[in-house]
Short mmCIF file of all heavy atoms in Angstrom, two decimals:
data_model
loop_
_atom_site.label_atom_id
_atom_site.label_comp_id
_atom_site.label_asym_id
_atom_site.label_seq_id
_atom_site.Cartn_x
_atom_site.Cartn_y
_atom_site.Cartn_z
N ARG I 149 3.44 37.44 -1.37
CA ARG I 149 3.41 38.84 -0.92
C ARG I 149 2.90 39.84 -1.94
O ARG I 149 2.17 40.77 -1.60
CB ARG I 149 4.82 39.26 -0.47
CG ARG I 149 4.89 40.69 0.01
CD ARG I 149 6.29 41.15 0.30
NE ARG I 149 6.32 42.49 0.86
CZ ARG I 149 6.33 43.61 0.13
NH1 ARG I 149 6.31 43.55 -1.19
NH2 ARG I 149 6.33 44.79 0.72
N PHE I 218 -7.85 48.97 14.38
CA PHE I 218 -7.46 47.80 13.58
C PHE I 218 -7.85 46.52 14.30
O PHE I 218 -7.60 46.38 15.49
CB PHE I 218 -5.94 47.78 13.37
CG PHE I 218 -5.44 48.72 12.31
CD1 PHE I 218 -4.73 49.86 12.66
CD2 PHE I 218 -5.67 48.46 10.97
CE1 PHE I 218 -4.25 50.72 11.69
CE2 PHE I 218 -5.20 49.32 9.99
CZ PHE I 218 -4.49 50.45 10.35
N ARG I 228 -13.18 46.06 5.70
CA ARG I 228 -12.58 47.37 5.42
C ARG I 228 -12.73 47.71 3.93
O ARG I 228 -13.02 48.86 3.58
CB ARG I 228 -11.10 47.37 5.85
CG ARG I 228 -10.36 48.65 5.55
CD ARG I 228 -10.87 49.84 6.37
NE ARG I 228 -10.30 51.11 5.89
CZ ARG I 228 -10.78 52.31 6.16
NH1 ARG I 228 -11.84 52.46 6.93
NH2 ARG I 228 -10.21 53.39 5.69
N TYR I 232 -14.53 51.04 2.74
CA TYR I 232 -13.77 52.08 2.03
C TYR I 232 -14.24 52.21 0.58
O TYR I 232 -14.22 53.29 0.01
CB TYR I 232 -12.27 51.74 2.09
CG TYR I 232 -11.39 52.90 1.69
CD1 TYR I 232 -11.27 54.03 2.50
CD2 TYR I 232 -10.68 52.88 0.49
CE1 TYR I 232 -10.48 55.10 2.14
CE2 TYR I 232 -9.88 53.95 0.12
CZ TYR I 232 -9.78 55.06 0.95
OH TYR I 232 -9.00 56.12 0.58
N TYR I 242 -9.60 58.87 -3.44
CA TYR I 242 -8.36 58.51 -2.74
C TYR I 242 -7.18 59.41 -3.13
O TYR I 242 -6.42 59.85 -2.27
CB TYR I 242 -8.04 57.03 -3.03
CG TYR I 242 -6.66 56.61 -2.62
CD1 TYR I 242 -6.33 56.47 -1.28
CD2 TYR I 242 -5.67 56.34 -3.57
CE1 TYR I 242 -5.05 56.10 -0.89
CE2 TYR I 242 -4.39 55.96 -3.19
CZ TYR I 242 -4.09 55.84 -1.84
OH TYR I 242 -2.82 55.48 -1.47
N ARG I 246 -5.28 61.17 -0.02
CA ARG I 246 -4.29 60.22 0.51
C ARG I 246 -3.17 60.85 1.32
O ARG I 246 -2.49 60.18 2.07
CB ARG I 246 -3.70 59.37 -0.62
CG ARG I 246 -3.07 60.17 -1.74
CD ARG I 246 -2.46 59.25 -2.77
NE ARG I 246 -1.19 58.73 -2.32
CZ ARG I 246 -0.03 59.36 -2.44
NH1 ARG I 246 0.04 60.54 -3.02
NH2 ARG I 246 1.08 58.81 -1.99
N TYR I 254 -9.00 59.12 4.93
CA TYR I 254 -8.08 59.76 3.99
C TYR I 254 -7.27 58.76 3.17
O TYR I 254 -6.80 59.07 2.08
CB TYR I 254 -7.15 60.76 4.69
CG TYR I 254 -6.20 60.18 5.71
CD1 TYR I 254 -4.99 59.61 5.30
CD2 TYR I 254 -6.48 60.19 7.07
CE1 TYR I 254 -4.10 59.08 6.23
CE2 TYR I 254 -5.60 59.67 7.99
CZ TYR I 254 -4.42 59.10 7.58
OH TYR I 254 -3.57 58.57 8.49
N SER I 255 -7.09 57.53 3.73
CA SER I 255 -6.37 56.49 2.97
C SER I 255 -7.00 55.15 3.29
O SER I 255 -7.83 55.05 4.20
CB SER I 255 -4.88 56.51 3.31
OG SER I 255 -4.70 56.13 4.65
N SER I 256 -6.56 54.12 2.59
CA SER I 256 -7.28 52.84 2.70
C SER I 256 -7.10 52.13 4.04
O SER I 256 -7.94 51.34 4.45
CB SER I 256 -6.83 51.90 1.58
OG SER I 256 -5.54 51.40 1.86
N LYS I 257 -5.96 52.32 4.69
CA LYS I 257 -5.59 51.61 5.93
C LYS I 257 -5.49 50.10 5.71
O LYS I 257 -5.62 49.32 6.65
CB LYS I 257 -6.59 51.91 7.08
CG LYS I 257 -6.92 53.38 7.30
CD LYS I 257 -5.75 54.18 7.81
CE LYS I 257 -6.08 55.60 8.20
NZ LYS I 257 -6.61 56.49 7.19
N PHE I 258 -5.21 49.69 4.48
CA PHE I 258 -5.07 48.26 4.21
C PHE I 258 -3.75 47.69 4.74
O PHE I 258 -3.55 46.49 4.78
CB PHE I 258 -5.14 47.98 2.69
CG PHE I 258 -6.49 48.21 2.07
CD1 PHE I 258 -6.60 48.59 0.74
CD2 PHE I 258 -7.66 48.02 2.80
CE1 PHE I 258 -7.85 48.80 0.15
CE2 PHE I 258 -8.90 48.23 2.22
CZ PHE I 258 -8.99 48.62 0.90
N SER I 259 -2.81 48.60 5.07
CA SER I 259 -1.43 48.17 5.30
C SER I 259 -1.26 47.08 6.36
O SER I 259 -0.46 46.17 6.17
CB SER I 259 -0.56 49.38 5.66
OG SER I 259 -1.13 50.08 6.74
N ALA I 260 -1.98 47.16 7.47
CA ALA I 260 -1.76 46.17 8.54
C ALA I 260 -2.18 44.78 8.07
O ALA I 260 -1.50 43.78 8.33
CB ALA I 260 -2.52 46.58 9.79
N LEU I 262 -2.35 43.80 4.94
CA LEU I 262 -1.41 43.37 3.89
C LEU I 262 -0.12 42.85 4.53
O LEU I 262 0.47 41.86 4.07
CB LEU I 262 -1.09 44.53 2.96
CG LEU I 262 -2.12 44.84 1.88
CD1 LEU I 262 -1.83 46.20 1.24
CD2 LEU I 262 -2.14 43.76 0.80
N ALA I 263 0.33 43.53 5.58
CA ALA I 263 1.63 43.18 6.17
C ALA I 263 1.62 41.76 6.74
O ALA I 263 2.61 41.04 6.61
CB ALA I 263 2.00 44.18 7.25
N ILE I 272 -7.21 42.77 -3.33
CA ILE I 272 -7.56 44.20 -3.35
C ILE I 272 -7.67 44.67 -4.81
O ILE I 272 -8.62 45.38 -5.17
CB ILE I 272 -6.51 45.03 -2.58
CG1 ILE I 272 -6.54 44.64 -1.09
CG2 ILE I 272 -6.77 46.53 -2.74
CD1 ILE I 272 -5.49 45.30 -0.23
N TRP I 291 -4.86 55.18 -8.63
CA TRP I 291 -3.77 55.51 -7.71
C TRP I 291 -3.58 54.47 -6.61
O TRP I 291 -2.48 54.25 -6.11
CB TRP I 291 -3.95 56.91 -7.11
CG TRP I 291 -2.61 57.53 -6.89
CD1 TRP I 291 -1.92 57.58 -5.71
CD2 TRP I 291 -1.77 58.14 -7.88
NE1 TRP I 291 -0.70 58.18 -5.90
CE2 TRP I 291 -0.58 58.54 -7.23
CE3 TRP I 291 -1.91 58.38 -9.25
CZ2 TRP I 291 0.46 59.17 -7.90
CZ3 TRP I 291 -0.86 59.01 -9.91
CH2 TRP I 291 0.31 59.38 -9.24
N LEU I 292 -4.65 53.80 -6.24
CA LEU I 292 -4.49 52.76 -5.22
C LEU I 292 -3.67 51.59 -5.80
O LEU I 292 -2.82 51.00 -5.11
CB LEU I 292 -5.85 52.28 -4.70
CG LEU I 292 -5.81 51.44 -3.43
CD1 LEU I 292 -5.08 52.14 -2.28
CD2 LEU I 292 -7.20 51.06 -2.97
N PHE I 294 -1.46 52.01 -8.14
CA PHE I 294 -0.13 52.62 -8.22
C PHE I 294 0.62 52.43 -6.89
O PHE I 294 1.80 52.06 -6.87
CB PHE I 294 -0.33 54.10 -8.55
CG PHE I 294 0.90 54.95 -8.61
CD1 PHE I 294 1.53 55.21 -9.82
CD2 PHE I 294 1.43 55.54 -7.46
CE1 PHE I 294 2.66 56.03 -9.88
CE2 PHE I 294 2.55 56.35 -7.51
CZ PHE I 294 3.17 56.60 -8.73
N GLU I 295 -0.07 52.63 -5.78
CA GLU I 295 0.58 52.47 -4.46
C GLU I 295 0.91 51.01 -4.19
O GLU I 295 1.92 50.69 -3.57
CB GLU I 295 -0.30 53.04 -3.35
CG GLU I 295 -0.46 54.55 -3.38
CD GLU I 295 0.87 55.33 -3.25
OE1 GLU I 295 1.84 54.79 -2.71
OE2 GLU I 295 0.92 56.48 -3.73
N LEU I 296 0.03 50.12 -4.66
CA LEU I 296 0.33 48.68 -4.48
C LEU I 296 1.56 48.30 -5.29
O LEU I 296 2.31 47.39 -4.91
CB LEU I 296 -0.88 47.81 -4.87
CG LEU I 296 -2.10 47.93 -3.95
CD1 LEU I 296 -3.27 47.11 -4.50
CD2 LEU I 296 -1.77 47.46 -2.52
N LEU I 297 1.78 49.01 -6.40
CA LEU I 297 2.98 48.75 -7.19
C LEU I 297 4.24 49.24 -6.47
O LEU I 297 5.30 48.62 -6.58
CB LEU I 297 2.88 49.39 -8.58
CG LEU I 297 1.90 48.71 -9.52
CD1 LEU I 297 1.82 49.46 -10.85
CD2 LEU I 297 2.28 47.25 -9.78
N TRP I 298 4.11 50.33 -5.72
CA TRP I 298 5.24 50.76 -4.88
C TRP I 298 5.60 49.65 -3.90
O TRP I 298 6.76 49.36 -3.63
CB TRP I 298 4.87 52.03 -4.08
CG TRP I 298 5.37 53.30 -4.68
CD1 TRP I 298 4.59 54.26 -5.24
CD2 TRP I 298 6.73 53.76 -4.75
NE1 TRP I 298 5.40 55.30 -5.67
CE2 TRP I 298 6.71 55.03 -5.38
CE3 TRP I 298 7.95 53.24 -4.35
CZ2 TRP I 298 7.86 55.77 -5.61
CZ3 TRP I 298 9.12 53.97 -4.59
CH2 TRP I 298 9.05 55.22 -5.22
N ARG I 299 4.56 49.05 -3.35
CA ARG I 299 4.77 47.97 -2.39
C ARG I 299 5.53 46.81 -3.05
O ARG I 299 6.48 46.26 -2.49
CB ARG I 299 3.41 47.52 -1.85
CG ARG I 299 3.46 46.46 -0.79
CD ARG I 299 2.07 46.16 -0.24
NE ARG I 299 2.15 45.13 0.76
CZ ARG I 299 2.14 43.85 0.49
NH1 ARG I 299 2.02 43.42 -0.75
NH2 ARG I 299 2.25 42.95 1.47
N ASP I 300 5.10 46.47 -4.26
CA ASP I 300 5.81 45.42 -5.01
C ASP I 300 7.25 45.82 -5.27
O ASP I 300 8.17 45.02 -5.14
CB ASP I 300 5.14 45.18 -6.37
CG ASP I 300 4.05 44.13 -6.31
OD1 ASP I 300 3.45 43.97 -5.23
OD2 ASP I 300 3.79 43.46 -7.33
N PHE I 302 9.27 47.75 -3.62
CA PHE I 302 10.15 47.56 -2.46
C PHE I 302 10.41 46.08 -2.20
O PHE I 302 11.50 45.70 -1.77
CB PHE I 302 9.57 48.26 -1.22
CG PHE I 302 9.82 49.74 -1.22
CD1 PHE I 302 8.78 50.65 -1.21
CD2 PHE I 302 11.12 50.23 -1.22
CE1 PHE I 302 9.02 52.02 -1.22
CE2 PHE I 302 11.37 51.62 -1.23
CZ PHE I 302 10.31 52.50 -1.23
N PHE I 359 0.25 53.38 14.57
CA PHE I 359 0.04 53.79 13.17
C PHE I 359 0.47 55.23 12.98
O PHE I 359 0.46 56.03 13.91
CB PHE I 359 -1.44 53.63 12.79
CG PHE I 359 -1.70 53.83 11.31
CD1 PHE I 359 -1.41 52.82 10.40
CD2 PHE I 359 -2.21 55.04 10.83
CE1 PHE I 359 -1.61 53.00 9.02
CE2 PHE I 359 -2.42 55.23 9.46
CZ PHE I 359 -2.12 54.21 8.56
N MET I 360 0.86 55.54 11.74
CA MET I 360 1.15 56.93 11.35
C MET I 360 0.88 57.02 9.85
O MET I 360 1.11 56.05 9.12
CB MET I 360 2.62 57.26 11.64
CG MET I 360 2.97 58.73 11.45
SD MET I 360 4.77 59.01 11.39
CE MET I 360 5.27 58.67 13.04
N SER I 361 0.39 58.18 9.40
CA SER I 361 0.09 58.34 7.98
C SER I 361 1.38 58.29 7.16
O SER I 361 2.48 58.48 7.70
CB SER I 361 -0.58 59.70 7.75
OG SER I 361 0.38 60.72 8.01
N ASN I 362 1.23 58.12 5.86
CA ASN I 362 2.41 58.12 4.99
C ASN I 362 3.10 59.48 5.02
O ASN I 362 4.32 59.59 5.07
CB ASN I 362 2.00 57.75 3.57
CG ASN I 362 3.21 57.63 2.66
OD1 ASN I 362 4.15 56.91 2.97
ND2 ASN I 362 3.19 58.36 1.57
N ARG I 363 2.31 60.55 5.03
CA ARG I 363 2.88 61.90 5.08
C ARG I 363 3.70 62.08 6.36
O ARG I 363 4.80 62.59 6.36
CB ARG I 363 1.70 62.90 5.01
CG ARG I 363 2.03 64.36 4.93
CD ARG I 363 2.98 64.77 3.85
NE ARG I 363 2.78 64.16 2.56
CZ ARG I 363 3.67 64.24 1.56
NH1 ARG I 363 4.78 64.93 1.72
NH2 ARG I 363 3.43 63.66 0.42
N GLY I 364 3.12 61.61 7.47
CA GLY I 364 3.83 61.69 8.75
C GLY I 364 5.13 60.90 8.71
O GLY I 364 6.19 61.39 9.13
N ARG I 365 5.07 59.69 8.19
CA ARG I 365 6.27 58.82 8.17
C ARG I 365 7.40 59.48 7.37
O ARG I 365 8.56 59.44 7.77
CB ARG I 365 5.93 57.46 7.53
CG ARG I 365 4.99 56.65 8.40
CD ARG I 365 4.66 55.28 7.77
NE ARG I 365 3.37 54.83 8.26
CZ ARG I 365 2.95 53.59 8.29
NH1 ARG I 365 3.73 52.62 7.88
NH2 ARG I 365 1.74 53.28 8.75
N GLN I 366 7.04 60.09 6.25
CA GLN I 366 8.08 60.72 5.43
C GLN I 366 8.74 61.87 6.19
O GLN I 366 9.95 62.04 6.16
CB GLN I 366 7.48 61.23 4.13
CG GLN I 366 7.09 60.09 3.23
CD GLN I 366 6.59 60.56 1.88
OE1 GLN I 366 5.98 61.61 1.79
NE2 GLN I 366 6.82 59.78 0.86
N ASN I 367 7.91 62.64 6.88
CA ASN I 367 8.45 63.80 7.60
C ASN I 367 9.30 63.41 8.80
O ASN I 367 10.38 63.95 8.99
CB ASN I 367 7.30 64.72 8.04
CG ASN I 367 6.92 65.70 6.94
OD1 ASN I 367 7.57 66.72 6.77
ND2 ASN I 367 5.90 65.36 6.17
N VAL I 368 8.79 62.48 9.61
CA VAL I 368 9.58 62.15 10.81
C VAL I 368 10.88 61.43 10.43
O VAL I 368 11.90 61.58 11.10
CB VAL I 368 8.78 61.33 11.87
CG1 VAL I 368 7.54 62.08 12.31
CG2 VAL I 368 8.43 59.93 11.39
N ALA I 369 10.84 60.68 9.32
CA ALA I 369 12.06 59.98 8.88
C ALA I 369 13.06 60.98 8.32
O ALA I 369 14.26 60.92 8.61
CB ALA I 369 11.72 58.90 7.86
N PHE I 387 10.58 52.00 14.26
CA PHE I 387 9.37 51.76 13.46
C PHE I 387 9.04 50.26 13.43
O PHE I 387 7.88 49.87 13.51
CB PHE I 387 9.58 52.26 12.02
CG PHE I 387 9.11 53.67 11.77
CD1 PHE I 387 9.27 54.68 12.69
CD2 PHE I 387 8.51 54.00 10.55
CE1 PHE I 387 8.84 55.98 12.43
CE2 PHE I 387 8.08 55.29 10.27
CZ PHE I 387 8.24 56.28 11.21
N GLU I 388 10.08 49.45 13.28
CA GLU I 388 9.86 48.00 13.23
C GLU I 388 9.15 47.53 14.50
O GLU I 388 8.23 46.72 14.46
CB GLU I 388 11.19 47.27 13.05
CG GLU I 388 11.06 45.74 13.14
CD GLU I 388 12.29 44.97 12.69
OE1 GLU I 388 13.24 45.57 12.14
OE2 GLU I 388 12.31 43.75 12.90
N LEU I 391 5.30 49.81 14.60
CA LEU I 391 4.24 49.83 13.59
C LEU I 391 3.35 48.59 13.63
O LEU I 391 3.85 47.46 13.64
CB LEU I 391 4.84 49.93 12.19
CG LEU I 391 5.32 51.29 11.70
CD1 LEU I 391 6.01 51.15 10.34
CD2 LEU I 391 4.16 52.28 11.61
N ASP I 393 1.66 47.85 11.11
CA ASP I 393 1.71 47.35 9.72
C ASP I 393 3.15 47.10 9.27
O ASP I 393 3.44 47.12 8.08
CB ASP I 393 1.02 48.34 8.77
CG ASP I 393 1.69 49.71 8.72
OD1 ASP I 393 2.85 49.85 9.13
OD2 ASP I 393 1.04 50.67 8.26
N TYR I 394 4.05 46.84 10.22
CA TYR I 394 5.47 46.67 9.83
C TYR I 394 5.62 45.58 8.76
O TYR I 394 5.11 44.47 8.89
CB TYR I 394 6.32 46.29 11.06
CG TYR I 394 7.70 45.85 10.67
CD1 TYR I 394 8.64 46.76 10.20
CD2 TYR I 394 8.06 44.50 10.73
CE1 TYR I 394 9.90 46.35 9.80
CE2 TYR I 394 9.32 44.08 10.33
CZ TYR I 394 10.23 45.01 9.87
OH TYR I 394 11.48 44.60 9.47
N ASP I 395 6.32 45.96 7.73
CA ASP I 395 6.64 45.03 6.65
C ASP I 395 8.11 45.26 6.35
O ASP I 395 8.52 46.41 6.12
CB ASP I 395 5.76 45.37 5.43
CG ASP I 395 6.18 44.65 4.17
OD1 ASP I 395 7.21 45.02 3.56
OD2 ASP I 395 5.49 43.69 3.79
N VAL I 396 8.90 44.20 6.39
CA VAL I 396 10.34 44.39 6.31
C VAL I 396 10.75 45.14 5.03
O VAL I 396 11.58 46.05 5.08
CB VAL I 396 11.09 43.04 6.49
CG1 VAL I 396 10.71 42.01 5.45
CG2 VAL I 396 12.60 43.24 6.47
N CYS I 397 10.14 44.81 3.89
CA CYS I 397 10.55 45.45 2.63
C CYS I 397 10.09 46.91 2.60
O CYS I 397 10.87 47.81 2.22
CB CYS I 397 9.96 44.72 1.43
SG CYS I 397 10.31 42.97 1.44
N ASN I 398 8.85 47.16 3.02
CA ASN I 398 8.34 48.53 2.98
C ASN I 398 9.04 49.44 3.98
O ASN I 398 9.33 50.60 3.68
CB ASN I 398 6.84 48.55 3.31
CG ASN I 398 5.99 48.16 2.13
OD1 ASN I 398 6.51 47.84 1.07
ND2 ASN I 398 4.69 48.18 2.31
N ASN I 399 9.27 48.91 5.17
CA ASN I 399 9.85 49.78 6.19
C ASN I 399 11.30 50.11 5.88
O ASN I 399 11.68 51.27 5.76
CB ASN I 399 9.75 49.11 7.57
CG ASN I 399 10.15 50.07 8.68
OD1 ASN I 399 9.60 51.16 8.81
ND2 ASN I 399 11.15 49.69 9.45
N TRP I 400 12.12 49.08 5.70
CA TRP I 400 13.54 49.33 5.49
C TRP I 400 13.77 49.96 4.12
O TRP I 400 14.67 50.79 3.95
CB TRP I 400 14.35 48.05 5.72
CG TRP I 400 14.36 47.70 7.18
CD1 TRP I 400 13.40 46.98 7.86
CD2 TRP I 400 15.31 48.12 8.17
NE1 TRP I 400 13.70 46.92 9.21
CE2 TRP I 400 14.88 47.61 9.43
CE3 TRP I 400 16.48 48.88 8.15
CZ2 TRP I 400 15.58 47.83 10.62
CZ3 TRP I 400 17.18 49.09 9.33
CH2 TRP I 400 16.73 48.57 10.55
N ASN I 402 11.64 52.08 2.49
CA ASN I 402 11.28 53.50 2.56
C ASN I 402 12.30 54.30 3.36
O ASN I 402 12.66 55.42 2.99
CB ASN I 402 9.89 53.67 3.19
CG ASN I 402 8.77 53.62 2.17
OD1 ASN I 402 8.61 54.53 1.37
ND2 ASN I 402 8.00 52.53 2.17
N TRP I 403 12.74 53.75 4.47
CA TRP I 403 13.74 54.46 5.30
C TRP I 403 15.04 54.65 4.52
O TRP I 403 15.61 55.74 4.50
CB TRP I 403 14.02 53.68 6.60
CG TRP I 403 13.16 54.12 7.75
CD1 TRP I 403 11.98 53.56 8.15
CD2 TRP I 403 13.40 55.22 8.64
NE1 TRP I 403 11.48 54.23 9.23
CE2 TRP I 403 12.33 55.25 9.57
CE3 TRP I 403 14.41 56.18 8.77
CZ2 TRP I 403 12.23 56.19 10.59
CZ3 TRP I 403 14.33 57.12 9.79
CH2 TRP I 403 13.25 57.14 10.69
N LEU I 406 14.74 57.35 2.02
CA LEU I 406 14.82 58.70 2.60
C LEU I 406 16.22 59.02 3.12
O LEU I 406 16.65 60.17 3.11
CB LEU I 406 13.79 58.85 3.73
CG LEU I 406 12.36 58.97 3.22
CD1 LEU I 406 11.35 58.60 4.29
CD2 LEU I 406 12.08 60.39 2.72
C1 FAD C 519 9.71 55.78 6.68
C2 FAD C 519 8.55 54.94 6.18
C3 FAD C 519 8.32 53.69 6.71
C4 FAD C 519 7.26 52.90 6.24
N1 FAD C 519 7.05 51.64 6.80
C5 FAD C 519 6.06 50.86 6.30
C6 FAD C 519 5.84 49.56 6.82
O1 FAD C 519 6.55 49.06 7.69
N2 FAD C 519 4.78 48.86 6.32
C7 FAD C 519 3.97 49.35 5.33
O2 FAD C 519 3.05 48.66 4.90
N3 FAD C 519 4.20 50.54 4.80
C8 FAD C 519 5.19 51.33 5.26
N4 FAD C 519 5.39 52.58 4.72
C9 FAD C 519 4.59 52.99 3.54
C10 FAD C 519 3.30 53.78 3.84
O3 FAD C 519 3.56 54.84 4.70
C11 FAD C 519 2.20 52.90 4.45
O4 FAD C 519 2.03 51.72 3.67
C12 FAD C 519 0.85 53.64 4.48
O5 FAD C 519 0.98 54.84 5.19
C13 FAD C 519 -0.19 52.76 5.13
O6 FAD C 519 -1.44 53.38 5.15
P1 FAD C 519 -2.58 52.97 4.12
O7 FAD C 519 -2.72 51.48 4.06
O8 FAD C 519 -3.78 53.73 4.49
O9 FAD C 519 -1.97 53.47 2.75
P2 FAD C 519 -2.66 53.83 1.36
O10 FAD C 519 -2.25 55.19 0.99
O11 FAD C 519 -4.09 53.53 1.38
O12 FAD C 519 -1.91 52.84 0.35
C14 FAD C 519 -2.42 51.56 0.02
C15 FAD C 519 -1.33 50.54 0.19
O13 FAD C 519 -0.26 50.79 -0.72
C16 FAD C 519 0.98 50.45 -0.12
N5 FAD C 519 1.82 51.64 0.01
C17 FAD C 519 1.43 52.94 0.10
N6 FAD C 519 2.50 53.75 0.17
C18 FAD C 519 3.58 52.95 0.12
C19 FAD C 519 4.97 53.18 0.17
N7 FAD C 519 5.50 54.42 0.29
N8 FAD C 519 5.80 52.11 0.13
C20 FAD C 519 5.32 50.87 0.02
N9 FAD C 519 4.01 50.59 -0.03
C21 FAD C 519 3.15 51.61 0.02
C22 FAD C 519 0.66 49.93 1.27
O14 FAD C 519 0.58 48.52 1.22
C23 FAD C 519 -0.70 50.54 1.56
O15 FAD C 519 -1.45 49.78 2.46
C24 FAD C 519 6.44 53.39 5.19
C25 FAD C 519 6.68 54.66 4.66
C26 FAD C 519 7.72 55.43 5.15
C27 FAD C 519 7.94 56.80 4.56
#
Side-chain angles (χ1 to χ4, degrees):
R149 180 186 185 274
F218 281 109
R228 178 66 190 163
Y232 194 70
Y242 168 72
R246 56 178 282 276
Y254 64 83
S255 66
S256 74
K257 311 293 187 299
F258 291 151
S259 54
L262 280 167
I272 295 176
W291 213 262
L292 193 55
F294 177 96
E295 292 300 336
L296 291 175
L297 288 177
W298 261 111
R299 183 175 179 275
D300 270 28
F302 281 119
F359 189 78
M360 188 194 291
S361 68
N362 185 53
R363 185 52 43 192
R365 292 180 206 203
Q366 290 184 328
N367 274 278
V368 302
F387 267 38
E388 174 168 351
L391 281 175
D393 62 18
Y394 169 72
D395 169 285
V396 59
C397 307
N398 280 2
N399 188 56
W400 289 85
N402 271 290
W403 267 95
L406 287 159

